[in-house]
Amino acid sequence: MYFAALLARTEDGWEASDTELDDVETLSDLTDLAREASVDEDTVLVFIEQEDAWFGVVRVDGEEDPRIFISDATAAARSSYGEILLTDELLGREPGADDTIAALEELVGLDGTEDGEPDITPDNDNDDTNDEDDDGLDADAVPAGPLGDTGILADLGLPEAELLMLRTDALVEIADALGAAEVMEAVR
């Protein structure tokens, strides 16, 4: 179960609205959605939470690039909404690197066999070496724990150390620290 909301700063304080992410496929889509909710290009926060597994905050300030914080990147990687936030840049990867490698391997047929030869791979169930975890993650695996801009809310009243300590009911605590608890509760 997911919860997603937009929190837009205005002259009169914060305005909250729940939001549907069904049409959001990329971080760019999410950023556009946040900018549409912005008043005078002021700060908009997008909150995404999956039942005590992880939460994410995306901050959009006018036309600046979005800033992202994810409480548990590994948990978020198993979520379609989390995958939106886990960009190559956030993960420290070269953009499109996985696509390029896959295309090159397909182009030159790097499956370890010559054309026309059957792929005979010994079945070594007793092999203790494990080049790849059972969950399919490779060397470019998503790191465990928090990921992103830990100072994302520091100037709004929630210091880095407090953000990193949040686990359950995180969005309620964030809204409370920002002085937006009532408006957030109205959309929850």
Side-chain angles (χ1 to χ4, degrees), residues 111 113-119:
D111 63 357
T113 63
E114 295 293 326
D115 287 339
E117 288 184 22
D119 181 11

Side-chain angles (χ1 to χ4, degrees), residues 27 30-31 35 43-46 56-61 64-70 85 87 89-90 147-156 158 160 163:
L27 179 60
L30 189 61
T31 303
R35 285 190 176 120
T43 300
V44 176
L45 303 173
V46 180
V57 179
V58 177
R59 179 176 175 164
V60 178
D61 293 301
E64 292 180 29
D65 288 341
R67 296 167 59 190
I68 303 167
F69 174 78
I70 301 171
L85 304 181
T87 63
E89 181 180 349
L90 188 66
L147 183 66
D149 185 349
T150 58
I152 192 170
L153 302 171
D155 65 324
L156 299 174
L158 188 67
E160 293 179 39
L163 179 63

Side-chain angles (χ1 to χ4, degrees), residues 62-98:
E63 292 300 316
E64 292 180 29
D65 288 341
R67 296 167 59 190
I68 303 167
F69 174 78
I70 301 171
S71 66
D72 186 336
T74 304
R78 293 187 290 264
S79 157
S80 58
Y81 295 129
E83 288 178 349
I84 292 170
L85 304 181
L86 292 169
T87 63
D88 286 337
E89 181 180 349
L90 188 66
L91 294 169
R93 293 189 226 169
E94 185 71 30
D98 290 341

Side-chain angles (χ1 to χ4, degrees), residues 7-170:
L7 198 61
R9 188 163 51 176
T10 68
E11 289 179 5
D12 301 325
W14 292 97
E15 289 182 7
S17 60
D18 61 344
T19 188
E20 286 293 323
L21 299 178
D22 294 341
D23 296 331
V24 174
E25 295 179 8
T26 65
L27 179 60
S28 181
D29 293 342
L30 189 61
T31 303
D32 290 344
L33 185 69
R35 285 190 176 120
E36 289 171 11
S38 177
V39 177
D40 297 326
E41 295 189 1
D42 214 343
T43 300
V44 176
L45 303 173
V46 180
F47 297 123
I48 302 173
E49 180 181 54
Q50 181 182 6
E51 286 186 356
D52 296 333
W54 68 277
F55 70 90
V57 179
V58 177
R59 179 176 175 164
V60 178
D61 293 301
E63 292 300 316
E64 292 180 29
D65 288 341
R67 296 167 59 190
I68 303 167
F69 174 78
I70 301 171
S71 66
D72 186 336
T74 304
R78 293 187 290 264
S79 157
S80 58
Y81 295 129
E83 288 178 349
I84 292 170
L85 304 181
L86 292 169
T87 63
D88 286 337
E89 181 180 349
L90 188 66
L91 294 169
R93 293 189 226 169
E94 185 71 30
D98 290 341
D99 296 338
T100 302
I101 292 169
L104 288 172
E105 286 176 348
E106 186 176 312
L107 181 66
V108 296
L110 296 177
D111 63 357
T113 63
E114 295 293 326
D115 287 339
E117 288 184 22
D119 181 11
I120 302 172
T121 306
D123 185 15
N124 294 333
D125 287 340
N126 297 332
D127 187 6
D128 288 337
T129 60
N130 190 3
D131 294 336
E132 195 170 324
D133 293 333
D134 290 340
D135 59 7
L137 297 177
D138 61 8
D140 290 330
V142 176
L147 183 66
D149 185 349
T150 58
I152 192 170
L153 302 171
D155 65 324
L156 299 174
L158 188 67
E160 293 179 39
E162 289 181 32
L163 179 63
L164 290 170
M165 291 175 26
L166 297 176
R167 295 291 172 249
T168 59
D169 294 327

